[in-house]
Amino acid sequence: MLGSAILLGGAAVAVFVGVNIGGSSTGVAFGPATGSGVLSMRSASVLMAAFVLLGGFTIGTNVVETLGSGFVPATYFTPVASIGVLVFIGVGILLGNVLRVSTSTSQTAVAAVVGMGAALGVLDWRTVGVVVLWWILSTILAFWVCAFVGRYLYDAVVAVLDLESRDTRLAEVVVIGISCYMAFSAGASNVANAVAPLVGSGQFGMVTGVALGGVAIGAGAFALGPRTM
């Protein structure tokens, strides 16, 4: 009976985290599309839910494995520890949604898992170093690529594409396509944030965990996504 209650509690917390991730990530993926009037809020939420599931099942399983056992050995993800980690993840993301600020769900989740591993003295610092290094490098690279294009190539790019004068439908397809790709990437990365501790502890299988996380994120796209979009 106790085991069933813990399992149910873990699933409930995972759904709570997933819903908040959906609310946060939808604004990032579809904010430009809805802000420009290309998509309605509801259509954006539908696309978000669909592509999150696709990303979760195709690539997201790799991230689930890393977050569920790469930083901290899976044996330390007891049912209670998994629920505790997910609660901290969910609360952190919820605060961002309440304040209408798009928070980094991956950094929130990794920080919670790393905190537990550091407290127990079982943290794989090498994995932490690799992840943090890529966070820093990707941020710097994104900044300078955008700065260079904006400063030196923006007018040339606009002149070559000239989507508005050629075919507004083509421009809309491009905007929607980029948004769907971002939703796919969110599913590949963020499904793990909702269910990795539960999968790592063995409470859920990989397929069940990814399905639970993907559906919860999709629900968050409808419930909270309009606030961040």
Side-chain angles (χ1 to χ4, degrees), residues 28-55:
V28 176
F30 287 93
T34 56
S36 61
V38 173
L39 285 174
S40 66
M41 296 285 188
R42 184 173 295 275
S43 296
S45 298
V46 170
L47 290 174
M48 180 71 183
F51 279 90
V52 160
L53 275 173
L54 181 62

Side-chain angles (χ1 to χ4, degrees), residues 7-183:
L7 181 63
L8 182 61
V13 176
V15 170
F16 169 70
V17 174
V19 168
N20 282 284
I21 289 174
S24 177
S25 300
T26 302
V28 176
F30 287 93
T34 56
S36 61
V38 173
L39 285 174
S40 66
M41 296 285 188
R42 184 173 295 275
S43 296
S45 298
V46 170
L47 290 174
M48 180 71 183
F51 279 90
V52 160
L53 275 173
L54 181 62
F57 277 108
T58 54
I59 302 176
T61 53
N62 297 326
V63 185
V64 172
E65 291 180 1
T66 299
L67 193 58
S69 59
F71 294 101
V72 178
T75 53
Y76 288 90
F77 277 114
T78 63
V80 174
S82 299
I83 293 174
V85 168
L86 288 173
V87 166
F88 282 109
I89 296 172
V91 170
I93 299 171
L94 176 62
L95 289 176
N97 288 333
V98 170
L99 297 174
R100 300 191 179 188
V101 176
S102 180
T103 55
S104 173
T105 55
S106 293
Q107 291 183 359
T108 304
V110 169
V113 173
V114 167
M116 184 188 78
L120 297 176
V122 295
L123 185 61
D124 186 338
W125 287 101
R126 181 181 181 279
T127 301
V128 175
V130 170
V131 171
V132 172
L133 177 62
W134 278 107
W135 281 350
I136 296 172
L137 291 178
S138 62
T139 301
I140 294 173
L141 180 62
F143 173 83
W144 284 109
V145 168
C146 290
F148 180 82
V149 171
R151 178 65 178 83
Y152 298 106
L153 302 177
Y154 181 78
D155 292 336
V157 171
V158 171
V160 170
L161 295 179
D162 198 15
L163 295 176
E164 291 188 1
S165 64
R166 292 181 181 179
D167 188 350
T168 56
R169 290 185 180 180
L170 176 59
E172 292 175 355
V173 169
V174 171
V175 171
I176 294 172
I178 294 173
S179 297
C180 290
Y181 170 74
M182 293 180 68

